[in-house]
Amino acid sequence: MRSSRRKLLTGTATALATGFAGCNGLGDTDGDAAIETSSESTPAQNETSSTPTDDGSGGTASPDAAVAAEWNAMRARLWDALALGRAGSPGAGATVAQQTFERFEGAFGEYGAHEMLEATSEANYAEFEEALGELRAAGLDAGDLDRAREEVTIADAQLAEAQTRLVGDATARPLDLQAFGAVVQNAAFLAGAGQFEAAQTAAQTALTRFEESAVHEAFEGTDGDAYERFERAVEATASAAGNDNADEVRTSAEDAFAAALDGSYSLAATEPVAAAGHVAALQARGWDAAALASMGGPSTAFAHAAALTVYRARAYDSRWLAARGETERAATVASDVFAHFEGARAHEALEEADGDAYEGFEAGLSELRSAIEDGDAAAVDEAVATVDENLVAGVEALAGSNAPLLEAAFFRARLADARERYRLGDGAVAASIAQGLFERFEGNELDFHETVESTSEELYTQFEEEHLSGLVDAFETGDDSGVQTHYEGAQRTLLDFETAAGTDATVSGAEAGYVAARGFDAAVLDALGDDDRAVSIAQETFEHFESGAGGYHEALEDADESVYERFEEQLGAIATAAGDGADVYPVAKQFNAEAVASIYAIVGSAGGSRTAAAATVVSDTFAHFEDARAHEMLEAADHNAYETFEAALEGYVTALQEGGDVQSAAESFARAAQYAQFALVDAVEELPLDLDLAGVGGQSASHGEGESDLQGGPNVVDGVPDDADHVVDLSAVAFEPADLTVSRGETVAWRHAAGEPHSVSAYGDGIPDGADYWASGDFDSEEAARTGWENGRGAVQSGQAFVHTFETAGTHEYFCIPHEAAGMVGTVTVEE
């Protein structure tokens, strides 16, 4: 067995072994099948733990209790991930599993959850990490819920067993009971999302597992009243879920939670230990809220970002009109964008999300109008660039991971502009537009390049290498046939990407921006005197919408029939106005209003964000804490920990209610809860090194003095070499980017960016024939790399990079040895 990573990282072997008091049995089954856990009855000789402070009755009053409580919060998150999968959101569940792995991997320090688990039992540690990785990869990502249930049960059992090893039955059993109370709360958040079948399953499974657990009998014998209240409340939770009664599910789940907590205080040998677990259970409820928030459709912020995308296209229309001598209409377009934005729902949202982008966008619009009126073409170009730059920042701030879909819609609109310019005889301008898009794509604006490539290598190749490159050439050479082929190919590929990467709601938001831009294109052509083309554009746009538009047509009709009817009416009115020789621009503005309304209608119909329901969960948690036994105990134990905990709770509620960063707020609350857990057992000075909270003194976020015990090798260097052609970041449990394409002879540097030390190791059977094996540590085979890692060699640590030059064409598959189970794998494709 390889050397303990805790020893390698901290260079210490001073902790003392503790006895193993027996398996508690909590994680033994999921109500379907028993899962075998470790057969060890005592810690191995090389497993270590700090010596608990015995209060005389078997209770543990030491930092160990705080760590065991933290494991309870992680156990709850395992069941959150499965609950999301059962609710039809396996992707969200996989994300929870991945986030849990990342949090665990980042829990450095002698009393961090990660290092303490490995020190307590290497067997439990190895099984937990493997099961957690398989939960995400083989279970939720693969859509196999039976496998996901099995892996959750295994992972939960490892943590439960390690708790008993670390702190003994007297502390582990009340934690078991608190874990059951926290898991029953899954039914409440699932019912709050309308997932009643999944809620019923969660409650029934929790009850079955409880009745088969070791803590069942202990609870009944110690506090019969609380025991009966707990069982009745869980049964009532399942019954209410079966009747689709969300309010009753919430009330009954809260009753079960309260009864479990009451029983935990009765079971615990010391009240502070029970209180530490109580706070960890509240942390688990915070994670429930984050899981609930992840279940809905896109947030309203996405709708705001989609509306901003229309402004991007209109700014370029203004420049187009100015370049063709339509100064008055060009200035009007700029002014109208400003006026529309002032009254738009996206106005305040952009100001709050990115104040600099908001100010830069408005300033750019003012500069654009002035430059148009002055006839200063260079200033017009500069102003449009300013508008676009700030809108890109705004879209990124508001759309987050959905921003690449909106970028695809923007590309579609700009490619359409290029095609229209080519029709008018401006081939050089058309080529310039296409070339500019190529450069934006290569620059990964709004993470578009990397998202397309990770979504589908085939789509990526078709779009960039075949159609976008081909379109630039066709525009430049006046190849009409090539223009048609590559234009249609690029548009088709981008829409295929949208539908592959997005949901009906997010694709609809993107397509709404595209069709609105096409409506304004018709207005531009009308202003330039080409009424026939304006009619054609309107008709083509109508046909695109009627053909489905990536699900947009059906989504809008289902979301709001009145908006749907007005949308089609106004789109038809554009063709009518152009055909009648009327001014198309006012009609295009009316159509734009309906297109934007359609975005908000679809987002709302898709459930929008579940943040309102999630805010209720956190508000209920706050109210619970105010009346809880742990409240006064925490305030008396450490006032700063108490203030930090309440401030984090309040900040979490605010983030949910006001559209803030929910994940960051959840993580802040979890850190504050961990601080409180240590404070309650009088161990603030032993806080894990990854915590950095106000008022916590004496410790820094380093990895320990012993980090030098890990060695890199001749190909691991300090910093990133200046001659590196590509850089891949080693994050907590991922390569970023995971898939990279390089040219033969180019050098790649893998830079440590986050988490504990990593390896970069090629799979022996995953590199091209004739290629030399490569890995950090300069090993000659995969087996040697794995063995070297066990002996502390081949590590890339903070401030370092692994460097390799690729000379053999083909695809090279590689992985990180310590984080392989978490899915930390990647590829480098080497082209001639």
Side-chain angles (χ1 to χ4, degrees):
M1 184 176 292
R2 69 182 174 86
S3 300
S4 166
R5 183 166 20 174
R6 179 182 176 184
K7 292 179 181 178
L8 291 172
L9 292 176
T10 64
T12 180
T14 59
L16 302 176
T18 59
F20 175 54
C23 179
N24 58 33
L26 173 62
D28 292 347
T29 127
D30 186 33
D32 298 297
I35 303 296
E36 292 184 7
T37 59
S38 172
S39 61
E40 296 174 82
S41 59
T42 58
Q45 290 182 351
N46 68 336
E47 294 169 359
T48 61
S49 173
S50 57
T51 303
T53 302
D54 197 325
D55 66 354
S57 57
T60 302
S62 78
D64 292 349
V67 178
E70 183 65 13
W71 288 341
N72 246 27
M74 290 185 173
R75 290 171 65 185
R77 293 197 79 188
L78 297 171
W79 296 100
D80 286 350
L82 179 60
L84 288 168
R86 283 172 166 160
S89 299
T95 297
V96 168
Q98 182 75 356
Q99 290 169 344
T100 304
F101 208 127
E102 291 176 358
R103 182 172 172 79
F104 177 70
E105 286 296 307
F108 293 113
E110 183 179 359
Y111 292 100
H114 178 283
E115 307 305 338
M116 184 62 82
L117 180 59
E118 188 174 12
T120 300
S121 168
E122 288 194 1
N124 291 145
Y125 164 80
E127 288 292 325
F128 171 71
E129 281 209 332
E130 181 178 357
L132 186 50
E134 290 299 301
L135 166 62
R136 178 191 62 79
L140 294 167
D141 273 346
D144 186 341
L145 292 183
D146 288 339
R147 179 65 180 273
R149 183 192 66 237
E150 178 182 345
E151 298 300 342
V152 166
T153 306
I154 292 171
D156 180 90
Q158 303 313 309
L159 291 181
E161 193 172 305
Q163 286 172 324
T164 303
R165 290 175 178 276
L166 181 63
V167 296
D169 282 329
T171 296
R173 284 189 175 167
L175 289 175
D176 279 350
L177 187 53
Q178 290 169 341
F180 280 120
V183 170
V184 173
Q185 289 289 336
N186 285 355
F189 88 69
L190 289 167
Q195 298 291 334
F196 292 103
E197 183 177 351
Q200 185 176 35
T201 300
Q204 290 171 337
T205 298
L207 183 59
T208 300
R209 292 175 55 244
F210 169 69
E211 290 177 342
E212 296 175 352
S213 71
V215 75
H216 177 276
E217 185 176 348
F219 185 15
E220 185 177 17
T222 302
D223 191 335
D225 176 66
Y227 165 81
E228 291 180 4
R229 286 192 289 117
F230 177 75
E231 286 219 327
R232 284 198 306 268
V234 180
E235 290 170 352
T237 301
S239 177
N243 294 325
D244 293 359
N245 189 330
D247 289 339
E248 184 62 30
V249 171
R250 177 183 166 198
T251 300
S252 298
E254 179 61 37
D255 289 343
F257 186 64
L261 289 170
D262 287 345
S264 72
Y265 280 93
S266 298
L267 282 169
T270 64
E271 198 171 45
V273 166
H278 189 163
V279 169
L282 298 184
Q283 181 193 150
R285 293 189 68 177
W287 291 122
D288 286 348
L292 177 57
S294 74
M295 290 182 67
S299 69
T300 305
F302 171 76
H304 299 323
L308 296 183
T309 301
V310 182
Y311 295 142
R312 294 181 69 190
R314 293 184 72 183
Y316 285 98
D317 285 346
S318 180
R319 184 174 73 173
W320 180 7
L321 287 163
R324 294 299 294 255
E326 295 292 333
T327 303
E328 183 176 351
R329 177 54 58 87
T332 297
V333 170
S335 296
D336 285 350
V337 170
F338 201 114
H340 186 277
F341 178 62
E342 286 299 303
R345 297 174 66 177
H347 180 278
E348 185 175 348
L350 177 58
E351 187 174 14
E352 292 180 357
D354 191 329
D356 290 340
Y358 163 80
E359 293 178 0
F361 171 48
E362 290 205 331
L365 283 174
S366 296
E367 293 165 3
L368 177 58
R369 180 180 175 88
S370 297
I372 291 170
E373 291 174 341
D374 293 341
D376 187 339
V380 168
D381 289 347
E382 185 176 344
V384 169
T386 298
V387 168
D388 187 76
E389 176 185 355
N390 286 285
L391 286 176
V392 166
V395 168
E396 183 174 31
L398 289 165
S401 62
N402 287 317
L405 298 173
L406 299 179
E407 184 77 343
F410 172 74
F411 270 49
R412 277 165 52 71
R414 291 296 287 146
L415 287 172
D417 287 349
R419 179 67 182 275
E420 299 305 330
R421 300 297 288 269
Y422 181 80
R423 288 178 187 274
L424 294 173
D426 293 335
V429 173
S432 177
I433 293 172
Q435 181 63 37
L437 294 176
F438 192 99
E439 292 168 2
R440 287 176 186 261
F441 188 69
E442 282 297 297
N444 200 35
E445 183 175 86
L446 291 176
D447 200 31
F448 186 33
H449 181 285
E450 298 298 338
T451 305
V452 173
E453 189 172 12
S454 64
T455 299
S456 170
E457 185 75 27
E458 182 180 0
L459 288 176
Y460 164 76
T461 301
Q462 288 177 355
F463 173 65
E464 181 185 38
E465 298 179 9
E466 182 178 350
H467 295 307
L468 188 54
S469 296
L471 192 56
V472 173
D473 292 339
F475 281 145
E476 289 177 340
T477 60
D479 180 358
D480 292 349
S481 176
V483 166
Q484 180 175 348
T485 297
H486 293 302
Y487 172 77
E488 292 175 353
Q491 291 284 13
R492 182 178 58 253
T493 304
L494 289 174
L495 183 57
D496 286 347
F497 159 71
E498 290 177 18
T499 57
T503 63
D504 284 348
T506 53
V507 172
S508 296
E511 286 302 290
Y514 169 69
V515 299
R518 291 301 279 151
F520 283 117
D521 285 347
V524 171
L525 269 297
D526 173 70
L528 297 178
D530 194 344
D531 290 345
D532 289 343
R533 184 56 194 155
V535 172
S536 295
I537 290 173
Q539 291 174 339
E540 289 169 4
T541 305
F542 198 99
E543 290 169 5
H544 169 66
F545 180 69
E546 285 297 305
S547 68
Y552 178 28
H553 180 282
E554 184 177 355
L556 178 54
E557 189 172 13
D558 290 344
D560 192 319
E561 191 167 352
S562 62
V563 174
Y564 164 78
E565 290 175 354
R566 292 197 304 271
F567 175 94
E568 288 207 328
E569 180 183 350
Q570 291 301 324
L571 182 52
I574 292 177
T576 300
D580 292 344
D583 188 355
V584 172
Y585 182 60
V587 186
K589 289 199 296 181
Q590 293 173 352
F591 172 62
N592 175 69
E594 298 306 330
V596 171
S598 76
I599 300 170
Y600 289 99
I602 292 170
V603 166
S605 177
S609 170
R610 303 284 187 186
T611 52
T616 298
V617 171
V618 181
S619 295
D620 286 350
T621 303
F622 207 147
H624 171 98
F625 177 67
E626 289 299 300
D627 294 328
R629 295 168 71 171
H631 180 278
E632 291 186 6
M633 293 174 63
L634 179 58
E635 188 173 15
D638 190 308
H639 189 74
N640 186 70
Y642 164 78
E643 292 285 352
T644 300
F645 183 78
E646 288 213 328
L649 257 178
E650 186 174 357
Y652 197 176
V653 173
T654 300
L656 287 163
Q657 291 178 339
E658 298 182 4
D661 188 336
V662 173
Q663 187 61 32
S664 292
E667 291 171 355
S668 294
F669 173 56
R671 290 163 65 84
Q674 194 172 4
Y675 180 11
Q677 290 155 208
F678 276 80
L680 282 162
V681 294
D682 193 25
V684 171
E685 69 280 0
E686 304 294 351
L687 272 170
L689 299 180
D690 69 326
L691 259 69
D692 182 18
L693 297 166
V696 182
Q699 304 211 45
S700 63
S702 66
H703 295 176
E705 294 177 359
E707 193 170 81
S708 60
D709 290 344
L710 283 171
Q711 300 173 11
N715 50 14
V716 176
V717 301
D718 291 333
V720 175
D722 292 338
D723 61 353
D725 299 294
H726 304 272
V727 176
V728 176
D729 281 335
L730 304 173
S731 67
V733 287
F735 297 105
E736 297 177 356
D739 302 299
L740 181 68
T741 299
V742 306
S743 296
R744 193 164 65 86
E746 288 188 325
T747 299
V748 180
W750 281 264
R751 172 178 58 195
H752 187 284
E756 60 181 6
H758 299 281
S759 84
V760 183
S761 311
Y763 283 109
D765 60 357
I767 58 178
D769 292 341
D772 292 333
Y773 183 80
W774 55 271
S776 54
D778 201 24
F779 301 103
D780 58 10
S781 69
E782 180 183 339
E783 181 181 2
R786 291 184 184 274
T787 301
W789 179 264
E790 290 178 1
N791 294 315
R793 294 185 291 119
V796 184
Q797 305 182 70
S798 179
Q800 295 182 334
F802 160 64
V803 182
H804 181 70
T805 299
F806 288 89
E807 300 292 354
T808 305
T811 298
H812 298 247
E813 300 176 358
Y814 68 97
F815 66 107
C816 172
I817 293 173
H819 304 125
E820 183 181 16
M824 191 168 178
V825 297
T827 65
V828 176
T829 300
V830 183
E831 299 178 335
E832 291 288 355

